[in-house]
Amino acid sequence: MAGKVFFRLRISWKKLAAAAAVVLAAAAGTMICLRYRAKTFATVRFHMDTFISYYVGSVLPERTVDAMDKAVEDCEDLFDRFSADSEISRVNANAGTMTEVSEETYLLVEDAIKLAAETGGYFDPTVGKISDIWGFGIDPHVPEKEEIAAALQYVGFGRVMLEEKNGQYYVCVGEGQSLDLGGIAKGYALRKVREAAEKAGCRFAVVSFGGNVLLVGAGHDGNDGFSVGIRTPEENITDPALIISLEGGVVSTSGGYERFFMEDGVRYCHIIDPFTGNCAGGDLLSVSVICDDPVRADCLSTAYFVKGLDSTLDALASGEFSGIAIDSDKVIYISEDLAGSVAPEGTADGYRIEVVG
Ligand code: ADP
Ligand code: MG
């Protein structure tokens, strides 16, 4: 009896092994087919007052884009300071007291505070009161000097408190303070977009979200790597200033050429110097930061744009970050590590490249 069972079992194992081999072969075949059947899909959506474009290669690319876009929508609901229902609006409305928030919001504010400290306060998410008096997003205008001075007292990331207790998360900004996560929220959304893309088994994706370009996978359209154009920092010029080849990561660009208003012939952009309360911008027209973390890239590009040309060139020279800075003399400064990555297509008319390092 035992022998019979043993015999039967041996037969079963053999069958099982054969079946497993067939299944594995079929799975491998399917994987190969799936690789070849991957299709591309491109579309543009609108979130956080900004267009977001997707170019995705995957077996079901429309579905992959929907999953990626849902991740952005979720962030938008949490971080939109112009929507009274968002978590950030609740934190601002309750300034001076602890407000319970989701883990997501807690982690983003925590990242923002860390990066504010790292950039010496040039990136500061508590510029909200200053953004308000300049009317960005609603009614842009130059405020009175006294208004700026009054609002400046509410800037200071050191007054933001975070608390985690029994699995619950709390954020508190100082009395009168207002969080503005506009300089980090898109980077955070792209972090979530990448997670969604990877979860969906996406082969490659290029996602461009208001100056932040996320690259997922090993390269687009079967290429090794990606070609990314850095915008010429002038209005109405759509030709890139230069094109670089990258293997992945994110490129985040901050500049004053896209979101700005003019008053009495002067251009005022949406990036604020947290120390003066004035709009940033001078000789430095744009700065692009290249790294793996979209949140970091977003914050650093904003911070260096505020710091200005000299500090940015010092940072590029010392290898503090990998990136590109373009100045008003049409010089494109690139960090040494990128020197071999500039595409031969050439630069925009009148622009020249200088390697820093
Ligand atoms: P964009 O949002 O156009 O990609 P940035 O990433 O540079 O550009 O972020 C600019 C936004 O960040 C502003 O619209 C504002 O919401 C916020 N902001 C402005 N100045 C600062 C600053 N010094 N530190 C942190 N956030 C800022
Ligand atoms: Mg930024």
Side-chain angles (χ1 to χ4, degrees):
M1 186 70 180
K4 260 188 175 173
V5 171
F6 183 59
F7 178 73
R8 268 199 209 128
L9 271 177
R10 275 179 62 193
I11 295 290
S12 309
W13 280 114
K14 267 190 183 167
K15 277 186 181 160
L16 204 65
V22 171
V23 169
L24 281 177
T30 311
M31 300 257 289
I32 291 163
C33 287
L34 289 184
R35 254 184 93 74
Y36 283 108
R37 283 222 315 267
K39 289 178 285 186
T40 57
F41 177 61
T43 189
V44 177
R45 309 267 167 97
F46 191 77
H47 296 292
M48 301 184 184
D49 204 22
T50 308
F51 288 104
I52 177 165
S53 73
Y54 296 91
Y55 179 46
V56 167
S58 114
V59 177
L60 295 168
E62 287 92 340
R63 207 180 277 179
T64 305
V65 166
D66 283 345
M68 292 157 85
D69 202 57
K70 170 79 172 55
V72 182
E73 251 174 47
D74 291 347
C75 293
E76 190 170 27
D77 291 346
L78 295 175
F79 310 139
D80 181 2
R81 62 191 297 267
F82 295 112
S83 146
D85 302 333
S86 73
E87 288 200 350
I88 285 307
S89 294
R90 279 201 294 113
V91 170
N92 289 341
N94 292 335
T97 49
M98 281 287 180
T99 303
E100 191 178 343
V101 294
S102 61
E103 184 182 8
E104 203 94 82
T105 298
Y106 176 92
L107 292 175
L108 180 61
V109 175
E110 188 180 51
D111 265 3
I113 300 305
K114 277 187 198 152
L115 282 152
E118 186 184 323
T119 60
Y122 283 90
F123 171 86
D124 190 325
T126 61
V127 291
K129 277 268 149 65
I130 306 278
S131 300
D132 288 345
I133 56 160
W134 282 89
F136 289 117
I138 296 171
D139 167 32
H141 63 277
V142 180
E144 299 294 330
K145 281 195 174 67
E146 295 72 30
E147 276 182 280
I148 296 179
L152 260 182
Q153 61 180 308
Y154 299 112
V155 179
F157 65 90
R159 273 171 269 163
V160 178
M161 288 187 291
L162 293 152
E163 195 179 317
E164 186 191 344
K165 211 163 60 186
N166 305 326
Q168 283 168 318
Y169 299 90
Y170 303 87
V171 174
C172 172
V173 294
E175 240 164 85
Q177 282 195 313
S178 177
L179 282 176
D180 174 351
L181 299 178
I184 189 172
K186 290 186 205 97
Y188 188 81
L190 286 181
R191 195 191 261 175
K192 294 287 163 185
V193 164
R194 174 155 64 191
E195 282 171 19
E198 285 167 353
K199 203 166 150 203
C202 175
R203 267 180 66 196
F204 76 82
V206 179
V207 185
S208 176
F209 195 13
N212 305 277
V213 182
L214 174 75
L215 310 168
V216 180
H220 55 77
D221 300 321
N223 299 321
D224 285 338
F226 300 85
S227 298
V228 178
I230 304 295
R231 253 197 74 171
T232 304
E234 294 177 51
E235 248 182 297
N236 307 326
I237 298 190
T238 47
D239 277 352
L242 86 166
I243 297 171
I244 47 168
S245 310
L246 294 171
E247 285 177 4
V250 66
V251 185
S252 174
T253 302
S254 287
Y257 51 88
E258 211 167 67
R259 288 183 187 236
F260 65 87
F261 69 93
M262 301 290 293
E263 199 170 299
D264 298 330
V266 181
R267 174 197 295 248
Y268 298 94
C269 83
H270 67 314
I271 301 177
I272 289 159
D273 182 334
F275 297 98
T276 64
N278 290 318
C279 297
D283 292 347
L284 180 61
L285 299 189
S286 80
V287 51
S288 306
V289 175
I290 298 166
C291 70
D292 193 52
D293 178 5
V295 171
R296 187 176 176 76
D298 198 5
C299 291
L300 290 191
S301 67
T302 305
Y304 279 107
F305 187 73
V306 179
K307 285 186 182 187
L309 185 61
D310 290 345
S311 299
T312 301
L313 293 186
D314 286 349
L316 284 176
S318 64
E320 233 170 88
F321 73 95
S322 177
I324 296 159
I326 306 182
D327 77 359
S328 49
D329 288 333
K330 301 196 171 189
V331 183
I332 305 168
Y333 298 95
I334 62 173
S335 53
E336 213 168 17
D337 58 325
L338 294 176
S341 309
V342 178
E345 279 90 335
T347 53
D349 276 355
Y351 284 78
R352 65 185 170 86
I353 295 178
E354 236 178 71
V355 178
V356 188

